[in-house]
């Protein structure tokens, strides 16, 4: 932890460099500082993952976008920063603002040509209290 998970409509694959966005967001996380000037997110624990949604529905399906002169092919990107507990509200806001600005800058060419929504959400992990697992894979390998 901390992790940024990006969920996005698959139509954005051809519009922007998602790996580049991941790198920029990870680098941005390293710039966030606590009130005492210390780095908020440990470099070794910073991770950014992006997952395209091949199936999605956004807003009205494109009618308003086409009426506005666009192609009606809406896009959406959701960024979720999950961090450990204990940071001040000011640091949480600073982190969210920094990620939002980074994503907006990276995605500006997409915003210029397409109808696109972007959301950044920051969550705190109160601590892992349960780690349940169930698998039918392990017995396959236990026989040998």
């Amino acid at each position: 932890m901390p992790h940024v998970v990006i969920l996005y409509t698959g139509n954005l694959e051809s519009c922007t460099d998602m790996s580049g966005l991941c790198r920029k967001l990870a680098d941005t996380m390293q710039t966030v500082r606590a009130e005492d000037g210390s780095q908020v997110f440990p470099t070794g624990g910073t991770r950014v993952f992006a997952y395209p949604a091949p199936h999605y529905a956004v807003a009205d399906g494109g009618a308003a976008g086409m009426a506005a002169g666009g192609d009606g092919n809406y896009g959406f990107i959701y960024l979720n920063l999950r961090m450990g507990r204990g940071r001040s509200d000011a640091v949480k806001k600073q982190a969210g603002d920094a990620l939002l600005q980074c994503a907006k800058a990276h995605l500006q060419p997409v915003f210029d040509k397409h109808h696109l929504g972007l959301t950044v959400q920051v969550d705190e992990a109160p601590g892992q209290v349960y780690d349940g697992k169930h698998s039918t894979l392990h017995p396959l390998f236990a026989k040998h």
Side-chain angles (χ1 to χ4, degrees), residues 93-143:
K93 183 177 182 333
Q94 176 192 1
D97 288 346
L99 292 174
L100 180 61
Q101 292 308 313
C102 175
K104 281 174 56 178
H106 180 86
L107 295 166
Q108 191 58 54
V110 183
F111 280 111
D112 290 344
K113 294 179 182 177
H114 304 282
H115 294 102
L116 174 66
L118 168 63
T119 296
V120 175
Q121 187 174 41
V122 178
D123 295 327
E124 272 186 327
Q128 186 173 338
V129 296
Y130 179 76
D131 184 22
K133 295 180 176 74
H134 176 76
S135 175
T136 57
L137 291 172
H138 292 289
L140 292 173
F141 304 106
K143 295 177 186 175

Side-chain angles (χ1 to χ4, degrees), residues 1-3 81-87 122-128:
M1 187 115 29
H3 301 139
L81 168 60
R82 189 146 174 96
M83 66 173 79
R85 264 188 135 154
R87 291 165 179 106
V122 178
D123 295 327
E124 272 186 327
Q128 186 173 338

